[in-house]
Amino acid sequence: MIPTISATALSRRYRDQIALDDVSLTIEPGTVTGLLGRNGAGKTTLMRIVTGLEFPTAGDLRVFGEVPAENDAVLRRMVFVREEQVYPDFQVRHAIRVASWFYPNWSEDLAGQLMADFAIPPRRRIKRLSRGMRSAVGIVIGLAARAELTLFDEPYAGLDAVARQLFYDRLLAEFAEHPRTIVLSTHLIDEVADLLEHVVMLDHGRVVLDAPADDVRGTGMTVSGPATAVEEFVAGRTVWHRQRLGSRASVTVADSLDFAEQAKARAMNLSLEPLSLQQLLVHAAGVSADEKVSA
Amino acid sequence: MNTLVNVARYHLVERIAWLAMPWGILAFSFLVNAVIAATAPVPAHGFYTGGLASIYVFLLICGALSMSRSLPFGMMLGVSRRTYYLGTGLLVLVMGVVFGLVLTLLQLVERASNGWGLRLHFFQVPWIMDGPWYQTWLTSFVLLVLFALYGVWYGLVFRRWSLLGLVTFIAAQMVVALLAVVAISLSHDWSAVGHFFTALTAVALTGVLAVIAAAMGAGGLSTIRRVTV
């Protein structure tokens, strides 16, 4: 099967900065992939190259097996919803109508439903919408297009928690009914953790993690309890983070613990807590969660 | 082809910019000139105005604007740069045909009514738009397309190289014109240039304009190739 996206040694340099550095990855059809990383990690640049908005400096990028830049046959099979999307000075309903012309699988019903769900005023000029509402317009277009490859780059800037949940629910329902390849870039990792099947993490333009989400979730465990017992238990393991409070300690280890080890920990009166995807990625980026919070 | 038509339709969603404004401004210009013609003493050959230029200038603005806010949304919807340009070009050609026809009809009315009863030659321009109706139509069409594509090119240069690029673009055109003037002066060939223009018929001039319009199109198409949004 031809991968939906495949990058080989892909690089993008700007005058004084390397946005993507030797990126190689594959995204299979019919998956939901989380594209994660800190600000400036290269997520947007990668999506811009995938959608032909930007050109690579070196390396090869293919979408549906072909180079996407200026390739109408490939471009028309995708939709790119991004945070800073610029719209012409027209009304919401105009944007929706125009979008419907370009996508053969466009769902009028879904667009109408989503407009109602997000309470978007159809006759309002887009530039008069609030930030959240403008994001919602992008989401409506992205989902209703039913494009084979749907890319969301921080699609919900300014959207409240309820609206975000609505987006996740709709995305899942749509994905179940009309499977497609979805790439979602976001900072709200824990919110989307359950949606993701695959995780790609970029840091300083490089891929630092590229794995099925389930594999990622299994790694990393925080062991807490009496300090001596904790230290005894974690001896010989890769420690990501250590915290002591009086006689108690809490240590985060990189390994996944099998059933016997978990039983052993309980016997030693230690409590175990798996790391969330967000915590894992913070560690993967080489920054401890506490340092980040206190910074 | 279908996508090209969709790009053209997409521009027309902003009807005010592409349809209402050019004609609204032209109508305003006409009214101002008509009021002057009705009140001022009539010159020997009637009134000649430059008011018709407003519609051409406004098409230049429309062309430039079509590459500013509309392009990023078009590309969000999976339209390639080339297709976006060609779709815009299709719209420009169709508008050139239709607008040119309307201008020709208005000129016919003007001629039949002895300049709207005011001896006002608003739609009639000596030499260049003064011949049979089909010639006026052809010249109007070519000029409308030329101005719109010129505007599109300006819009693209600004998108790709921003203000510095725009200034360079304008300066480069001036340099080319200057070089031509210097070259002609040095070779003492001004009389030849004069002969060329006096010998040039309105139809031949339209041909020259068509070549320039085609050059504008080629320039815009090569500029959009690596525009990023």
Side-chain angles (χ1 to χ4, degrees):
Chain A
M1 193 154 44
I2 300 169
T4 304
I5 301 174
S6 67
T8 315
L10 186 71
S11 295
R12 173 66 187 154
R13 279 179 213 92
Y14 296 101
R15 210 162 293 167
D16 53 347
Q17 169 211 355
I18 298 175
L20 288 177
D21 188 8
D22 196 24
V23 167
S24 295
L25 57 84
T26 303
I27 289 176
E28 297 298 337
T31 55
V32 182
T33 300
L35 188 56
L36 312 173
R38 304 185 59 193
N39 290 324
K43 308 183 295 289
T44 299
T45 305
L46 179 59
M47 293 176 119
R48 285 170 58 83
I49 294 176
V50 167
T51 49
L53 298 184
E54 192 75 64
F55 303 92
T57 313
D60 187 53
L61 181 110
R62 279 163 198 273
V63 179
F64 307 120
E66 293 179 50
V67 175
E70 293 302 274
N71 187 337
D72 281 295
V74 170
L75 293 175
R76 72 164 60 102
R77 293 161 70 183
M78 39 180 159
V79 64
F80 184 23
V81 179
R82 52 193 181 134
E83 189 183 1
E84 80 292 21
Q85 180 62 51
V86 174
Y87 293 93
D89 183 18
F90 55 27
Q91 298 171 15
V92 174
R93 64 196 176 106
H94 294 144
I96 302 291
R97 195 199 306 155
V98 169
S100 74
W101 297 338
F102 289 92
Y103 291 104
N105 297 329
W106 179 270
S107 168
E108 203 67 54
D109 292 346
L110 179 63
Q113 180 69 51
L114 290 168
M115 289 277 289
D117 288 347
F118 285 108
I120 307 171
R123 287 174 184 275
R124 182 92 45 94
R125 288 193 169 270
I126 294 181
K127 69 172 178 186
R128 295 196 180 278
L129 291 176
S130 69
R131 195 166 139 85
M133 282 289 183
R134 197 152 50 234
S135 296
V137 172
I139 288 172
V140 172
I141 293 172
L143 289 178
R146 288 190 176 152
E148 278 172 80
L149 172 56
T150 305
L151 300 109
F152 289 105
D153 186 11
E154 290 289 340
Y156 31 54
L159 273 190
D160 60 62
V162 176
R164 290 203 300 272
Q165 192 55 52
L166 190 63
F167 167 60
Y168 304 137
D169 293 346
R170 288 295 177 176
L171 183 71
L172 262 189
E174 263 297 295
F175 182 70
E177 269 178 59
H178 301 273
R180 62 194 95 164
T181 310
I182 293 171
V183 178
L184 174 63
S185 143
T186 178
H187 291 303
L188 303 175
I189 299 168
D190 280 343
E191 282 194 8
V192 300
D194 293 340
L195 298 176
L196 304 179
E197 297 171 85
H198 198 89
V199 175
V200 172
M201 181 161 180
L202 295 175
D203 190 50
H204 292 96
R206 293 182 152 269
V207 177
V208 291
L209 181 76
D210 178 3
D214 284 337
D215 293 2
V216 180
R217 280 190 204 103
T219 53
M221 194 72 90
T222 298
V223 186
S224 351
T228 44
V230 170
E231 290 302 337
E232 185 195 329
F233 183 77
V234 303
R237 295 182 194 277
T238 312
V239 173
W240 266 341
H241 183 70
R242 233 186 206 96
Q243 200 173 20
R244 269 196 86 137
L245 194 67
S247 63
R248 296 184 67 80
S250 173
V251 174
T252 304
V253 292
D255 319 71
S256 56
L257 303 176
D258 65 28
F259 192 73
E261 289 173 310
Q262 293 191 16
K264 181 186 163 202
R266 280 191 201 92
M268 291 169 75
N269 254 335
L270 299 174
S271 70
L272 295 175
E273 198 188 340
L275 284 190
S276 72
L277 198 55
Q278 176 149 320
Q279 290 166 316
L280 276 165
L281 293 169
V282 168
H283 284 294
V287 184
S288 95
D290 301 282
E291 278 168 21
K292 209 179 174 192
V293 168
S294 62
Chain B
M1 191 62 206
N2 197 17
T3 314
L4 295 189
V5 173
N6 283 335
V7 172
R9 280 167 78 199
Y10 164 40
H11 286 301
L12 288 179
V13 169
E14 290 185 272
R15 286 198 188 88
I16 292 180
W18 282 95
L19 303 175
M21 289 291 272
W23 293 104
I25 288 172
L26 190 70
F28 180 74
S29 170
F30 176 79
L31 273 177
V32 169
N33 283 294
V35 169
I36 292 171
T39 48
V42 182
H45 299 288
F47 292 93
Y48 283 94
T49 80
L52 187 60
S54 61
I55 195 166
Y56 295 99
V57 172
F58 198 80
L59 268 177
L60 185 142
I61 295 169
C62 275
L65 290 180
S66 70
M67 295 296 145
S68 65
R69 299 186 69 86
S70 306
L71 177 62
F73 185 54
M75 288 183 73
M76 169 188 178
L77 303 176
V79 177
S80 71
R81 296 165 181 79
R82 187 179 359 80
T83 302
Y84 185 84
Y85 188 89
L86 295 177
T88 309
L90 176 70
L91 173 70
V92 165
L93 288 178
V94 171
M95 285 187 40
V97 168
V98 176
F99 282 24
L101 192 60
V102 175
L103 290 176
T104 305
L105 285 172
L106 288 167
Q107 192 197 70
L108 288 178
V109 174
E110 180 173 282
R111 287 178 172 193
S113 64
N114 189 24
W116 315 94
L118 301 165
R119 300 190 62 196
L120 172 64
H121 306 282
F122 187 85
F123 297 98
Q124 205 180 345
V125 182
W127 186 46
I128 179 164
M129 282 180 206
D130 212 7
W133 69 269
Y134 53 84
Q135 203 175 305
T136 297
W137 187 17
L138 184 67
T139 307
S140 303
F141 163 73
V142 169
L143 264 181
L144 288 163
V145 171
L146 168 62
F147 273 81
L149 291 183
Y150 190 37
V152 165
W153 199 5
Y154 267 107
L156 286 171
V157 167
F158 183 70
R159 251 227 168 267
R160 186 158 164 191
W161 294 292
S162 55
L163 191 61
L164 189 65
L166 193 65
V167 172
T168 312
F169 183 59
I170 295 168
Q173 293 173 50
M174 285 174 158
V175 168
V176 168
L178 188 69
L179 285 177
V181 168
V182 170
I184 296 165
S185 296
L186 286 179
S187 60
H188 305 289
D189 262 354
W190 279 110
S191 58
V193 175
H195 279 303
F196 173 75
F197 278 107
T198 43
L200 196 65
T201 61
V203 176
L205 177 68
T206 302
V208 171
L209 293 174
V211 171
I212 297 174
M216 297 296 159
L221 196 53
S222 63
T223 305
I224 203 173
R225 277 178 53 226
R226 291 190 75 89
V227 159
T228 53
V229 297

